[in-house]
C-alpha cells in the first residue's frame, strides 16, 4: 500500500526531522576527509530540495560507519555537511551532537528553508538499541518526521522506528518512495517474463527471497558460491567450493518447490575452478573451466560461472520484461574470477525492453565499474533492506509511516462523501 509522502504533509515553517542515509565512504588523506562516493548524498537531494523550497526547517540525521556507540572524529558527518552544501548550493549548518542542548540550540535557530545536519547518530549506543529516552530526545527536534533512508529501514533503531512513534505527522521521502515503487509495485505485478538473478556467497541471506519469488518469477538464475550449496542438495560434488552445509535442506526444498511450480531454477552447468585462492592478495592459482555437466574436481573450488552457463542465462535475460539482480556470479573482486559477473551486468544493461532493478553492493559496484549503471531502470540503495523487503517481511522503518489510503479514506468518510456518512474522521 502506498505510504504518505512529504507531499501529503504541510511542512511550511515546521521543523522536519529527516532520517537520511549518508553512510558514504570517507577516506582521510593527510588528515583531510575525502568522500570517495557521494551517490547516497546526491540521492537525497530531491527530498531535501523539495522541503527547502516549501519553507521547512530541515533537520537531517544519519549514521556513518560503525563507531560502536562512541564519538570518533573519523566518522564525523561534518564533511558530509560540506558536500551537501556544495551540491545544494545552500548553507548547511552542522550540530556537534545529534541530541541534547547542542542539537536543540541549532534546531531552534533555524529559519524557514534552512538545512541542518546532526552529528552521527551511532556515536550514542542508544540509537541501535532503539532506546525510548533517546528517541524522545530526537523527537524534540521535529514537528514532522520523514524517513528517506531505505538502506536502514529494516532496522528498528531510534532514528528509524522509535522516534517515529513520538511524532504525529510522518511521511516517507522521494527516495524511499522510489524504492518502494520499484521493489514493491513493479515486482509485485511484473511485466512477464520476470527473471531473477541471484548470486553471492550465502544461501542463508537469499533463501527467503528465493522462496518468496518462486511464486512470482518465471525463472530464477543462480550463480556465485550459493549455487554450490544447491549442488550439494542435488548430491553433486563441490570440491572445496564455498558451501553452507546447514542450508542444504533449505536449498533442496527450494528446488522441489520450483519443480512443483514449473519455475526454471537455473544452476550453473560449468564453472571456473581454481585449486587455491588468496583473498588478501587478490590472486588465485592458475584456473580452468569445467566442461558443461562436468563435476567440480576434488580439491578444486568453483569461483565463477562458465561460458555455457552464461549462454543459458543470456537467453533468459534477453527475453525478460522484468529483471531483478542481486549478488555477484563469482569472486568478482579477483581478476580472472570476475568474467561471469561483468557479463551478467552487460546482459542486464543490454535489455532495454525490460524494467531492470539491481540491488546489493557488489552487483551495483560491477555496474558502476563497467560504466553501465545509467542503463539500469533502478538501482536500489539498500542491500539487506531490499532482500528483507523482497522476502515479504515488513520493514520497521516503513511500517511506522501511515498509508496514503488511510488519509484518502478519511477524506472520503467526511459528511460530503457519497455515502453521506455523518462520521468525521480526523486525519491520521
Ligand atoms: P553476498 O554478500 O552474499 O552477496 O556475497 C558477495 C561475496 O560473494 C563477494 O565478496 C564474492 O567474492 C563472493 N562470492 C561469489 N561467488 C563466490 C564463489 N564462487 N566462491 C567464493 N566466494 C564467492
Amino acid at each position: 500500500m502506498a505510504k504518505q509522502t512529504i507531499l501529503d504533509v504541510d511542512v511550511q515553517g515546521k521543523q522536519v526531522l529527516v532520517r537520511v542515509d549518508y553512510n558514504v565512504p570517507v577516506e582521510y588523506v593527510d588528515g583531510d576527509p575525502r568522500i570517495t562516493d557521494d551517490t547516497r548524498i546526491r540521492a537525497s537531494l530531491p527530498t531535501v530540495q523539495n522541503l527547502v523550497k516549501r519553507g521547512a526547517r530541515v533537520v537531517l540525521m544519519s549514521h556513518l560507519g560503525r563507531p560502536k556507540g562512541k564519538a570518533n572524529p573519523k566518522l564525523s558527518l561534518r564533511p558530509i555537511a560540506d558536500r551537501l552544501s556544495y551540491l545544494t548550493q545552500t548553507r548547511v549548518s552542522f550540530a556537534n551532537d545529534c541530541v541534547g542542548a547542542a542539537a536543540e540550540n541549532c534546531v531552534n535557530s533555524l529559519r524557514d528553508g534552512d538545512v541542518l545536519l546532526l552529528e552521527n547518530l551511532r556515536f550514542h549506543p542508544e540509537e541501535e538499541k532503539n532506546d525510548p529516552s533517546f528517541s524522545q530526545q530526537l523527537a524534540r527536534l521535529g514537528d514532522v518526521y520523514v524517513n528517506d533512508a531505505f538502506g536502514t529501514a529494516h532496522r528498528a533503531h531510534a532514528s528509524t522506528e522509535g522516534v517515529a512513534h513520538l511524532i504525529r505527522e510522518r511521511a516517507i521521502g522521494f527516495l524511499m518512495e522510489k524504492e518502494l515503487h520499484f521493489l514493491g509495485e513493479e515486482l509485485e505485478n511484473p511485466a512477464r517474463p520476470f527473471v531473477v538473478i541471484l548470486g553471492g556467497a550465502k544461501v542463508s541471506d537469499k533463501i527467503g527471497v528465493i522462496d518468496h519469488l518462486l511464486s512470482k518469477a518465471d525463472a530464477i538464475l543462480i550463480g556465485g558460491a550459493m549455487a554450490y550449496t544447491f549442488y550439494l542438495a542435488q548430491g553433486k560434488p563441490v570440491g572445496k567450493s564455498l558451501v553452507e552445509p546447514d542450508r542444504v535442506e533449505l536449498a533442496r526444498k527450494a528446488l522441489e518447490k520450483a519443480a512443483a511450480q514449473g519455475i526454471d531454477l537455473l544452476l550453473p552447468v560449468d564453472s571456473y575452478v581454481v585449486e587455491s585462492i588468496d583473498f588478501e592478495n587478490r590472486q588465485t592459482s592458475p584456473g580452468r573451466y569445467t566442461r558443461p555437466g562436468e563435476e567440480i574436481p576434488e580439491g578444486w573450488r568453483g569461483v565463477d560461472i562458465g561460458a555455457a552457463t552464461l549462454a543459458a542465462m543470456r537467453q533468459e535475460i534477453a527475453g525478460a520484461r522484468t529483471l531483478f539482480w542481486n549478488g555477484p556470479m563469482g569472486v568478482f573482486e579477483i581478476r580472472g574470477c570476475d568474467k561471469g559477473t561483468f557479463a551478467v551486468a552487460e546482459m542486464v544493461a543490454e535489455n532495454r525492453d525490460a524494467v531492470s532493478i539491481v540491488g546489493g553492493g557488489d552487483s551495483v559496484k560491477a555496474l558502476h565499474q563497467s560504466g553501465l549503471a545509467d542503463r539500469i531502470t533502478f538501482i536500489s540503495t539498500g542491500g539487506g533492506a531490499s532482500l528483507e523487503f523482497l522476502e515479504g517481511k515488513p520493514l520497521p522503518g516503513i511500517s511506522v509511516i501511515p498509508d496514503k489510503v488511510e488519509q484518502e479514506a478519511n477524506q472520503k468518510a467526511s459528511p460530503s462523501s457519497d455515502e453521506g456518512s455523518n462520521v468525521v474522521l480526523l486525519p491520521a
Side-chain angles (χ1 to χ4, degrees):
M1 231 179 272
K3 292 285 172 183
Q4 195 155 290
T5 77
I6 52 171
L7 297 181
D8 298 312
V9 288
D10 177 19
V11 297
Q12 164 69 41
K14 292 187 186 167
Q15 290 167 2
V16 180
L17 182 63
V18 191
R19 178 50 159 108
V20 285
D21 181 1
Y22 288 163
N23 186 26
V24 296
V26 183
E27 280 172 14
Y28 278 80
V29 181
D30 298 332
D32 285 334
R34 298 218 179 124
I35 298 166
T36 52
D37 180 358
D38 65 1
T39 310
R40 285 182 171 157
I41 306 174
R42 288 174 188 273
S44 76
L45 295 182
T47 294
V48 174
Q49 284 169 329
N50 178 275
L51 292 172
V52 166
K53 202 173 78 192
R54 292 163 64 207
R57 301 169 181 209
V58 185
V59 183
L60 303 169
M61 57 177 172
S62 175
H63 77 283
L64 174 64
R66 293 185 177 150
K68 304 207 173 112
K70 280 198 210 114
N72 174 348
K74 291 231 159 117
L75 294 174
S76 170
L77 281 163
R78 189 180 283 279
I80 282 96
D82 296 339
R83 178 64 63 95
L84 182 64
S85 180
Y86 166 77
L87 291 171
T88 53
Q89 293 293 298
T90 43
R91 203 174 85 84
V92 174
S93 49
F94 184 73
N96 288 323
D97 201 349
C98 61
V99 286
E104 286 177 33
N105 290 341
C106 289
V107 170
N108 291 335
S109 63
L110 290 175
R111 286 164 308 173
D112 296 357
D114 281 352
V115 182
L116 168 75
L117 177 62
L118 305 175
E119 183 55 288
N120 197 337
L121 290 157
R122 290 193 189 167
F123 284 180
H124 295 265
E126 296 90 345
E127 156 67 357
E128 289 182 86
K129 291 185 185 142
N130 200 1
D131 178 83
S133 66
F134 184 73
S135 297
Q136 252 156 12
Q137 291 189 69
L138 288 176
R140 292 164 67 100
L141 309 177
D143 307 311
V144 175
Y145 172 79
V146 173
N147 193 343
D148 209 20
F150 182 72
T152 47
H154 58 317
R155 308 267 181 239
H157 292 168
S159 67
T160 59
E161 209 260 352
V163 65
H165 290 291
L166 305 172
I167 298 179
R168 203 173 71 90
E169 286 192 275
R170 307 184 288 272
I172 55 171
F174 294 140
L175 177 61
M176 182 78 96
E177 186 186 29
K178 234 167 140 180
E179 294 274 2
L180 299 185
H181 169 72
F182 282 104
L183 295 172
E185 289 147 52
E186 290 285 347
L187 298 188
E188 200 55 42
N189 296 301
R192 297 199 177 273
F194 173 25
V195 176
V196 176
I197 310 142
L198 294 174
K202 294 198 202 140
V203 170
S204 43
D205 287 349
K206 283 160 197 154
I207 196 77
V209 178
I210 296 175
D211 194 56
H212 194 68
L213 293 180
L214 270 173
S215 52
K216 296 202 161 61
D218 298 292
I220 300 186
L221 321 182
I222 294 186
M226 62 189 274
Y228 304 114
T229 301
F230 278 88
Y231 272 24
L232 281 184
Q234 291 177 323
K236 287 188 188 162
V238 293
K240 287 195 301 185
S241 304
L242 183 65
V243 286
E244 289 173 282
D246 55 336
R247 306 291 152 155
V248 172
E249 190 49 27
L250 285 174
R252 199 182 53 72
K253 284 201 180 120
L255 287 167
E256 270 175 21
K257 189 169 168 182
Q261 303 198 347
I263 309 284
D264 274 342
L265 200 148
L266 206 95
L267 294 172
V269 292
D270 55 353
S271 297
Y272 182 65
V273 293
V274 297
E275 279 183 298
S276 65
I277 188 161
D278 176 356
F279 285 99
E280 213 162 286
N281 296 308
R282 298 188 174 213
Q283 56 194 22
T284 67
S285 58
R288 74 169 181 89
Y289 284 94
T290 57
R291 291 184 308 280
E294 180 194 339
E295 289 174 355
I296 306 279
E298 172 95 42
W300 293 64
R301 64 179 78 210
V303 288
D304 197 8
I305 54 177
T309 305
L310 281 170
M313 287 188 171
R314 171 168 280 116
Q315 221 169 358
E316 297 277 2
I317 294 172
R321 286 296 167 273
T322 306
L323 285 163
F324 175 73
W325 176 30
N326 183 306
M329 298 290 106
V331 188
F332 87 112
E333 302 93 334
I334 299 181
R335 268 181 104 168
C337 313
D338 58 357
K339 293 198 176 66
T341 303
F342 285 107
V344 163
E346 222 162 87
M347 290 176 200
V348 173
E350 257 169 30
N351 185 340
R352 308 303 293 269
D353 298 327
V355 171
S356 51
I357 300 165
V358 180
D362 293 328
S363 325
V364 175
K365 212 185 270 175
L367 281 167
H368 281 297
Q369 278 176 17
S370 40
L372 297 168
D374 60 348
R375 296 219 215 144
I376 302 300
T377 314
F378 181 66
I379 293 183
S380 175
T381 53
S386 67
L387 290 175
E388 287 197 23
F389 186 79
L390 288 177
E391 279 178 44
K393 282 189 189 164
L395 307 190
I398 296 171
S399 302
V400 287
I401 309 293
D403 290 334
K404 212 187 250 292
V405 283
E406 279 175 22
Q407 202 190 37
E408 283 164 10
N410 291 346
Q411 280 163 2
K412 279 201 193 114
S414 74
S416 59
S417 74
D418 292 347
E419 287 114 47
S421 160
N422 58 1
V423 179
V424 182
L425 295 176
L426 293 171

